[in-house]
Amino acid sequence: MKSNFYPGFGVLLVDDEVPFLRSLSIALERRGGINHIYRCEDSREVMDIIAREPIGLVLLDLTMPHLSGETLLQRIVEEYPEIAVIIVSGLNQLETAVNCIRLGAYDYFVKTTEEDRLIGGIRRAIASQEMRLENQEIRRRFLTDTLERPEVFAGIITRDKGMRSVFQYLEAISTSSQSVLICGESGVGKELIAHAIHTLSNRNGPVVSVNVAGLDDNVFADTLFGHHKGAFTGADRARAGMIEQAAGGTLFLDEIGDLSQSSQVKLLRLLQEGEYYPLGSDRPKRIRARVVVATHQDLARKQQEGTFRKDLYYRLRTHQVEIPPLRQRKEDIPLLLEHFLAEAAAELGKTVPTLPRELPVLLANYAFPGNVRELRALAFDAMSRHKSRMLSMEVFRQALGQQDTPPVQEGEVEPDPFSQMPTLPRLNEVGDLLVAEAMRRALGNQSLAARLLGISQPALSKRLKKAAADDA
């Protein structure tokens, strides 16, 4: 199957009127962007085509020689229940329509129905089929715990199970034409995920990235849609927008949570209708790129507050992935550190240094508010200062010393460690618990444990000796 076909499965048009088949094919491609089309004018060949080709939707006439549409509908429903069937008939009879729905048809349209309504119904059927196929694929992948194209994710350094689940989900939705919403804190690698989605989809066009933060409505429209010559003062020549530049590929819109309300309306129409108007033009163009968006903001909270449109939010979250922050992926820290140090050493022309034993422990107790991007910056900074065989701990100690508690989001309740306790512990007992936990996190390293507690190493040593004496 060719890439850039929409939908991923075939749409079979069945009618004995050749002119109608031709006009419907043109309308589907021009108005609906539907180009994965098969045509059949002999009803006796329908079942053979379905058996031979990857058909997922059939548009079926009722009144045909040889085999009637009603007979074919019953056979398709019986032998291929996973295929959706839409009746497109010249019969405008309620009883006929009700009977077809009862036999298993997805929908019923009269040929004289206005074109927009017909194409809208077909697109809804396609979206429903895509969702069914994706759900099947997601169940299969999670049950078998497989990655069929692990090479696509080779550039994302991780051994985290949560990230593996994200990869499986991306593989399952790779053939979909629906937009994808990538959520996660700044620095977790959302753009890498967008590029992985593009690679998985086998599209032959490019990835075009646009950071929409700070774009006002006019700049947003011009950037995405382009303009014709003379569309506004200074438009001396026509310019193709990012949508057109991404044709056949992927349009990646970063920081989508910062869009103004008027720009949100334009994006919603683009996603709903699949078409747009370049500035200065009264003729629509079809979008031929998959849209992937990303944000570090909580869109659910923003739409509840009224700063982000609910209809756009629900349109975007058809496919949604949440990239976990680095503090929830402790196992990835040593892998990423090794990778970034090697990258920095190659760039700076230095030898990769030996790591101090306490460094992984130190980093495991750091919250990394800047996530993977911050760890990379620390590694490059440390390599730029590195002069001996052993990597200096100073850069990392400074980072740990500046660590702040991750901010509590508005509306969240800060966890209370005493809420589940029927009685409060004594003050000295709390101190002993803190010391024990710090020593556990520092893997017995008193120097690191003292830093976690905010006391000197001699003070910690004194407390440990006293605790040991009390136990004796």
Side-chain angles (χ1 to χ4, degrees), residues 51-265:
R52 187 174 66 247
E53 304 294 348
I55 304 299
L57 174 64
V58 177
L59 307 184
L60 186 63
D61 186 23
L62 282 182
T63 308
M64 295 181 291
H66 310 301
L67 290 175
S68 69
E70 189 171 308
T71 300
L72 279 173
L73 171 62
Q74 294 180 66
R75 288 188 59 183
I76 294 170
V77 169
E78 181 180 344
E79 298 179 33
Y80 301 94
E82 72 280 3
I83 295 178
V85 180
I86 292 180
I87 303 298
V88 184
S89 171
L91 300 176
N92 187 6
Q93 298 175 356
L94 179 60
E95 183 180 348
T96 303
V98 169
N99 186 55
C100 288
I101 299 299
R102 183 181 60 80
L103 291 174
Y106 179 86
D107 211 337
Y108 187 103
F109 291 95
V110 180
K111 286 184 179 180
T112 55
T113 299
E114 55 191 61
E115 194 174 271
D116 287 346
R117 184 162 164 265
L118 173 61
I119 293 175
I122 294 170
R123 287 179 66 91
R124 285 193 297 274
I126 289 173
S128 176
Q129 283 291 81
E130 285 182 333
M131 195 63 65
R132 182 187 62 81
L133 293 171
E134 287 159 14
N135 287 338
Q136 286 182 350
E137 189 64 12
I138 289 170
R139 285 196 298 270
R140 183 184 71 81
R141 289 177 190 273
F142 279 97
L143 287 173
T144 57
D145 192 27
T146 58
L147 276 179
E148 295 185 358
R149 299 181 63 186
E151 72 282 357
V152 173
F153 308 102
I156 304 174
I157 312 298
T158 183
R159 62 162 67 110
D160 180 71
K161 291 183 179 179
M163 290 296 289
R164 182 177 176 85
S165 296
V166 169
F167 297 163
Q168 290 172 325
Y169 179 74
L170 295 181
E171 282 192 340
I173 65 172
S174 61
T175 59
S176 171
S177 60
Q178 300 296 316
S179 58
V180 183
L181 171 61
I182 307 171
C183 299
E185 297 177 7
S186 295
V188 294
K190 296 188 289 293
E191 188 160 358
L192 288 176
I193 295 296
H195 280 267
I197 293 170
H198 172 75
T199 303
L200 287 169
S201 65
N202 293 324
R203 294 174 177 267
N204 54 26
V207 179
V208 175
S209 300
V210 184
N211 189 321
V212 301
L215 298 184
D216 64 28
D217 185 50
N218 292 330
V219 176
F220 174 80
D222 187 34
T223 300
L224 259 63
F225 307 146
H227 62 256
H228 281 194
K229 181 179 179 181
F232 50 83
T233 303
D236 299 328
R237 64 178 70 181
R239 188 184 69 81
M242 295 299 186
I243 296 175
E244 190 170 339
Q245 294 177 36
T250 300
L251 177 67
F252 175 51
L253 304 179
D254 202 3
E255 303 298 352
I256 201 72
D258 293 325
L259 270 185
S260 67
Q261 289 278 346
S262 52
S263 293
Q264 290 175 31
V265 173

